Amino acid sequence: MSTHFGDRLIDAIREKNAPVCVGLDPLIERFPKALLQDVGIPLTAAGAVEPDVDPAMCAKAMRAFGQEIIRAVAPHVPVVKINIAFFERYHADGLRAYFDLVRFAREAGMIVIGDVKRADIGHSSTQYAQAHLLDVPGADVAAPDAITVNPYFGFDTIRPFVDIARAEGRGLFVLVQTSNESAAEVQNLVLPDGLKLCEQVGKLVQTWAGGEGLVGRSGYSCVGAVVSPRDLDSTERIRTLMPQCLFLVPGFGAQGRTAAEVAKCFRSDGTGAIVNASRSVIYAHNIAPYCDRCGTDWTRAVEQACKDLVIAIRDVVPH
Amino acid sequence: MSTHFGDRLIDAIREKNAPVCVGLDPLIERFPKALLQDVGIPLTAAGAVEPDVDPAMCAKAMRAFGQEIIRAVAPHVPVVKINIAFFERYHADGLRAYFDLVRFAREAGMIVIGDVKRADIGHSSTQYAQAHLLDVPGADVAAPDAITVNPYFGFDTIRPFVDIARAEGRGLFVLVQTSNESAAEVQNLVLPDGLKLCEQVGKLVQTWAGGEGLVGRSGYSCVGAVVSPRDLDSTERIRTLMPQCLFLVPGFGAQGRTAAEVAKCFRSDGTGAIVNASRSVIYAHNIAPYCDRCGTDWTRAVEQACKDLVIAIRDVVPH
């Protein structure tokens, strides 16, 4: 893997005509009963997962669920984002399932974002960067194409990730404006020049992203940003302040952002963003109208929700 | 484990007369040759670790190294901080070694801080909180007494950690002022009221820390903060703004902060902080005068560096 990450992402979005990412946040409590039974997860009489199931068994269920999701969405969207928090809950077994799914998604031709939100001071960030951005063929580990990182420490903690991204054709998405409500407590603090903190962080990230050897032929850097349109004014300003950054846009679907809101994350030429939805797709088997329409094959519900998501996003991308 | 975390920490510091924490950041490249040979790590003719060593083997070396460090320092200091980044480098094998060392240190009577620096939006933070603050007896997982978390998302991402900390007698240290140089790019941004961002974050963390059921009989909350005396003015202000927060103080030793600087992190009664040193203790076998004085038993060098650290810190604590 050595082509520039931003170029690969832009090409993949164009090929599927879908600036869309499906987020894999697997909670076994919400898995289809049929899948849980296939894997052998013990269920109560009411069909709920028994407490204290063996973590290796849970990891097995997550692997099976993830593979079905990836098979269902891969024909329609270019990117899957896998959130490691849900896997860490099962410790070493979960981490193995996470990396197995990264490999599975890459082999299915998808671009994989590891949603790890890591950061630490320099020499510790180097360890995280090696863990999450480097393949280890001898250990059967395939790393994601890109990961999410946290900016609170400033650039010297981001540099180890940038160095590996540049050398290996990988990417980063630095948290700038997140989708949760109380993010405003920190990210909306207003600085004396009138910029909000998230806007100032966006400016900094653009500086980092424009560094030597980081911008591809598409004009985008391999260093992007996580930007939710939680605050629309900020979103417009951030889009202007960060011309070379690709935005990973959370908050659509279950988190309540509308398609018109996420549209603000694109540049006027219709590029520059990829919109993520997680729960509204991967749990579509629980959500009307999908569950009603798709009968017993729960993956049909997921696939239909994914196709509808793509159409909804296509509809609002500027062109 | 259900006594209040802050009370337990204060008691443990008093018992050893040592507001000191040893940080375990294990890099196998710096392990003593004798230990690497004992474990069976392949070495070059020059004594360096061969590239591409099997990760299970590396994890075994980290476990052995960590156990020796814990044995050497447990008589002298109350707390060990284990940085998960160094373990994640070896993926599932590393994560297993991390949790094994957490258990080992707890069984050695130490308070354990898991330096994980996690945070995500609410439902993902819940997963991280379960992974890192809850014992799972069936899976043979012992969680740390406390962990470090990142404040960039605001309180709704911290709440899941707080809820488990309150219920289980565990603790948190929220990143406020970190020790790395470029942290100033973000943390020293000045707000219109004259406070720096890290000071404002400190104020917020104090608000979170003072929440119902969080403050123990010692007067300290189970929600503390990571405060390095990188900027002395800020440090004094943060100490005043956060009266109920215990500070975990990095930056001493290899990172260059002096004892007089870390003294600013204590309250005038000599409580309120615990000073961490990592590389200057755990790699003392590589550092004069320890390596020269301690002959072939590298753990004697570590123990001596730990004892010297305790004396240096005792000397500057206000009393």
Side-chain angles (χ1 to χ4, degrees):
Chain A
M1 189 186 300
S2 65
T3 315
H4 185 274
F5 171 73
D7 293 344
R8 287 197 288 127
L9 182 56
I10 293 285
D11 288 348
I13 290 171
R14 188 174 302 127
E15 195 181 308
K16 295 233 169 80
N17 184 21
V20 178
C21 170
V22 168
L24 195 52
D25 296 3
L27 276 176
I28 66 165
E29 293 78 3
R30 298 188 67 179
F31 287 1
K33 199 174 152 191
L35 180 137
L36 292 170
Q37 285 171 326
D38 280 354
V39 173
I41 298 279
L43 302 178
T44 65
V49 174
E50 292 270 10
D52 301 324
V53 179
D54 174 47
M57 191 73 105
C58 296
K60 189 175 166 194
M62 293 174 87
R63 203 180 275 110
F65 179 76
Q67 290 177 351
E68 292 292 345
I69 296 288
I70 290 162
R71 278 192 200 101
V73 305
H76 309 291
V77 299
V79 185
V80 61
K81 173 174 81 65
I82 309 183
N83 189 324
I84 202 169
F86 294 79
F87 295 85
E88 259 178 66
R89 172 180 174 198
Y90 300 109
H91 306 102
D93 293 310
L95 204 63
R96 193 161 283 127
Y98 167 84
F99 280 106
D100 287 347
L101 286 175
V102 169
R103 168 189 305 286
F104 187 86
R106 277 180 52 188
E107 289 176 355
M110 300 191 82
I111 288 179
V112 183
I113 299 173
D115 196 0
V116 301
K117 300 190 175 74
R118 298 301 196 253
D120 202 327
I121 66 166
H123 74 299
S124 309
S125 263
T126 301
Q127 304 299 311
Y128 280 133
Q130 292 184 347
H132 294 286
L133 287 174
L134 280 184
D135 292 341
V136 188
D140 207 30
V141 166
D145 296 86
I147 57 171
T148 53
V149 297
N150 188 306
Y152 189 67
F153 294 85
F155 185 61
D156 61 19
T157 67
I158 303 293
R159 185 182 295 123
F161 297 105
V162 171
D163 288 343
I164 292 186
R166 181 196 287 112
E168 302 283 330
R170 312 253 170 175
L172 302 180
F173 292 94
V174 187
L175 298 171
V176 169
Q177 182 169 247
T178 63
S179 55
N180 59 308
E181 202 175 318
S182 66
E185 289 177 358
V186 175
Q187 295 164 23
N188 281 21
L189 289 169
V190 180
L191 300 166
D193 61 2
L195 286 187
K196 293 187 187 128
L197 176 67
C198 57
E199 297 164 14
Q200 176 62 34
V201 169
K203 265 177 78 173
L204 276 172
V205 174
Q206 167 62 47
T207 315
W208 307 342
E212 199 182 327
L214 301 180
V215 179
R217 58 173 165 68
S218 63
Y220 286 108
S221 172
C222 59
V223 177
V226 174
V227 179
S228 157
R230 176 176 47 76
D231 174 323
L232 286 183
D233 284 349
S234 290
T235 305
E236 288 186 13
R237 246 189 311 275
I238 290 168
R239 185 62 280 177
T240 308
L241 288 166
M242 305 182 72
Q244 292 174 302
C245 291
L246 287 158
F247 290 178
L248 173 62
V249 182
F252 189 70
Q255 289 181 52
R257 302 297 154 202
T258 67
E261 287 170 332
V262 304
K264 304 280 187 193
C265 296
F266 290 83
R267 293 199 321 201
S268 56
D269 66 358
T271 67
I274 184 151
V275 180
N276 181 76
S278 302
R279 287 168 279 178
S280 57
V281 174
I282 68 171
Y283 301 129
H285 53 276
N286 294 326
I287 302 167
Y290 301 111
C291 59
D292 304 327
R293 216 157 69 194
C294 294
T296 52
D297 181 0
W298 67 276
T299 64
R300 284 186 55 214
V302 171
E303 183 169 10
Q304 190 59 50
C306 179
K307 287 160 75 172
D308 289 351
L309 170 68
V310 169
I311 290 166
I313 299 300
R314 265 184 208 149
D315 223 36
V316 295
V317 175
H319 53 263
Chain B
M1 192 185 302
S2 65
T3 315
H4 185 275
F5 171 73
D7 293 344
R8 287 196 289 125
L9 182 57
I10 293 285
D11 288 348
I13 290 170
R14 187 175 301 126
E15 194 182 309
K16 295 233 171 79
N17 185 21
V20 178
C21 170
V22 168
L24 194 53
D25 297 3
L27 276 176
I28 64 165
E29 294 77 4
R30 298 189 68 178
F31 287 2
K33 199 175 153 191
L35 180 138
L36 292 169
Q37 285 172 326
D38 279 355
V39 173
I41 298 279
L43 302 178
T44 65
V49 174
E50 292 270 10
D52 302 325
V53 178
D54 173 49
M57 190 73 103
C58 296
K60 191 175 164 196
M62 293 174 87
R63 203 180 275 109
F65 179 77
Q67 289 178 350
E68 292 292 346
I69 296 287
I70 291 162
R71 278 193 201 101
V73 305
H76 309 291
V77 300
V79 186
V80 62
K81 174 173 83 63
I82 309 183
N83 189 324
I84 202 170
F86 293 79
F87 295 85
E88 259 179 67
R89 174 181 172 197
Y90 300 108
H91 306 101
D93 292 308
L95 203 63
R96 192 161 285 126
Y98 167 84
F99 281 106
D100 287 348
L101 286 175
V102 169
R103 168 189 305 286
F104 187 86
R106 279 179 49 188
E107 289 176 354
M110 301 190 81
I111 289 180
V112 183
I113 300 173
D115 196 1
V116 302
K117 300 189 172 75
R118 298 299 197 256
D120 202 326
I121 65 168
H123 74 300
S124 309
S125 264
T126 300
Q127 304 299 310
Y128 280 133
Q130 292 183 347
H132 293 287
L133 287 173
L134 280 185
D135 292 340
V136 188
D140 204 31
V141 166
D145 296 87
I147 57 169
T148 53
V149 297
N150 188 306
Y152 189 68
F153 294 85
F155 185 62
D156 61 19
T157 66
I158 304 293
R159 185 182 294 122
F161 296 104
V162 171
D163 289 343
I164 292 186
R166 183 197 287 110
E168 302 282 332
R170 311 251 171 174
L172 303 179
F173 293 94
V174 187
L175 297 170
V176 169
Q177 182 171 248
T178 62
S179 56
N180 59 308
E181 202 175 317
S182 68
E185 289 177 359
V186 176
Q187 296 164 22
N188 281 22
L189 289 169
V190 179
L191 300 165
D193 60 3
L195 286 186
K196 293 190 186 123
L197 176 67
C198 56
E199 297 163 13
Q200 177 62 33
V201 169
K203 265 177 78 172
L204 277 172
V205 174
Q206 166 62 48
T207 317
W208 307 342
E212 198 181 328
L214 300 181
V215 179
R217 58 173 165 68
S218 63
Y220 286 107
S221 173
C222 60
V223 178
V226 174
V227 179
S228 158
R230 175 175 48 74
D231 175 321
L232 286 182
D233 284 350
S234 291
T235 305
E236 287 185 14
R237 248 191 310 275
I238 290 169
R239 183 64 280 177
T240 307
L241 288 166
M242 305 182 73
Q244 293 174 301
C245 291
L246 288 157
F247 290 178
L248 173 63
V249 182
F252 188 68
Q255 288 181 56
R257 301 296 153 204
T258 67
E261 287 170 333
V262 303
K264 304 280 187 193
C265 295
F266 290 84
R267 292 199 324 201
S268 57
D269 66 357
T271 68
I274 184 152
V275 179
N276 180 75
S278 302
R279 289 168 277 177
S280 58
V281 174
I282 69 171
Y283 301 129
H285 53 278
N286 294 328
I287 302 168
Y290 301 112
C291 57
D292 303 329
R293 216 158 67 194
C294 295
T296 54
D297 182 0
W298 67 276
T299 63
R300 284 187 55 216
V302 170
E303 183 169 10
Q304 190 57 50
C306 179
K307 286 160 75 173
D308 289 351
L309 170 68
V310 168
I311 291 166
I313 300 300
R314 263 183 208 149
D315 223 36
V316 296
V317 174
H319 53 263

